[in-house]
Amino acid sequence: MNLFSSSRLAAVLLSAALAGCTQTKAPATESNADSGLLAAYFQPTETGVQDGGVRVISISTPKGQFKVWTKRFGHNPRIKVLLLNGGPGATHEYFECMENFLPREGIEFIYYDQLGCGLSDNPKDTAMWSLPRYVEEVEQVRQALNLTKDNFYLLGHSWGGILAAEYAFKYQQHLKGLIISNMMMSCPAYGKYAQDVLGKQMKPEVLAEVRAIEARKDFANPRYMELLMPNFYAEHVLRLPLDQWPEPVTRSLGKSNQSLYVTMQGPSEFGIAGKLATWDRTADLPKLTVPVLAIGGQHDTMDPAHMRMIATKVQRGNSLICPNGSHMSLYDDQQTYFTGLLKFLKSVDEGTLKPGATL
C-alpha cells in the first residue's frame, strides 16, 4: 500500500490550504483520498493525553519489576514492525532512518529500548544480561502492545537479530514475519569469519598491532579503537568516512551500555567471547515456519554467504544482500536495504511471498 509520494503529499497540503479559504465542498479527488490515508496513519490510538505514541511498559524479571521504553510511529493495523537494536547495549536511536522510508509506505514501526539500553531502566546487574531473559522481555512487550500473528513483524539488527531469532524459535506462533538483519545464526561461525576473512583484509602491520593489544587484554588502550575505527569500522561497520557517520548512529553508539556489551559480546571486536560465544542455531533454522527475510551486506562483519544460507534453511525464507552495504546496510546501502525490506513486508501482508527469492 502506497500512502503517498512526495508529489502526492504536496497535493494533500495544497488541498488542505485551499479548503480553508473556501466554503465550497471539495470534490472527491485522489488528494482527498490520500489525505484520509495520511490522517489514518497518524491517528492517535491511545486515549487521554497524547504523548507522541510513547508507551513505558512494566516488565517482570527474576530480579523484580523494571520499565522499558517504546514509541509507536504511525498506525497500520496489518503491519507493525517492532525494532530490536544491536550492540548489545546500543539504543533505538540509530533506527531513526526508518522515518525516511517506512511512513511513506504506510508501515507502522515501534522503537524499543531493551532493558539496560537508552531510555529504559538499567538494573546494572550483569546477571540480567541473559538471552533467555531478553526473549521473555520481548514477549511481555508484545503482549503489552497487543501485537498479534495478524500484524506483528519483528526486525532484529546485529545482536537484535540473535534476539529476534531466539524469540521466533520459542514464540513464532505470534509472528507474521521475521527480519534478521546483519546477523549470522552462529557466533562461532561469526568468529571464524572475523578471524579468517576480515582480519586478513587489514594491513598486516595494523592487524599485528591489534593482535598484540588483544593478547595483552589492553582493550582500554585508546590505540585499540584508534586502529580499528579507520581500518575496521569504516570498512565493515559503516562504509562512510568517520566524520560523515550519521548523527543518529554516533548518538546511539555513544550511549552504549558497555557492561551489557562486554558481558554478552566480549571485549574483542574480532568474534564473540562473552555469554554468546557458543550460541549457534543453524541446525534449528528448518523449525522456523514464519516468513523470514535475512539481510546482509557484501562488506558486512557477517558473512553474506551465511545470510543467503539462512534463507534456504528456513521454510519460507528470502535473502537480501546489499552490494554496497556493510553491517549498517540500512545507512550505507539504503536504497537496496529499504526497497527489499518494504517488498518483503508488503508481499507477506498480501500473501504473495515467494520463498527462496532474492529481494
Side-chain angles (χ1 to χ4, degrees), residues 8 56 74 83 87 90 102 107 109 135 146 151 163 194 196 200 205 213 217 227 275 285 305 309 351:
R8 287 185 175 181
V56 177
L83 303 173
L102 272 59
I107 306 298
F109 58 99
V135 167
N146 195 30
N151 56 34
L163 178 55
D196 296 350
K200 292 178 180 178
E205 62 274 19
I213 293 173
K217 300 187 183 301
L227 290 166
K275 288 184 177 180
L285 287 172
M309 178 275 294

Side-chain angles (χ1 to χ4, degrees), residues 256-278:
S256 290
N257 182 336
Q258 286 301 301
S259 168
L260 174 52
Y261 181 84
V262 172
T263 300
M264 302 294 280
Q265 152 83 24
S268 173
E269 294 301 316
F270 287 95
I272 295 182
K275 288 184 177 180
L276 296 171
T278 61

Side-chain angles (χ1 to χ4, degrees), residues 7-48:
S7 60
R8 287 185 175 181
L9 178 57
V12 169
L13 297 175
L14 178 60
S15 175
L18 292 175
C21 299
T22 178
Q23 297 299 315
T24 303
K25 185 176 181 180
T29 65
E30 183 178 35
S31 61
N32 293 130
D34 286 343
S35 181
L37 291 172
L38 184 63
Y41 181 71
F42 286 110
Q43 72 176 346
T45 60
E46 301 84 9
T47 58

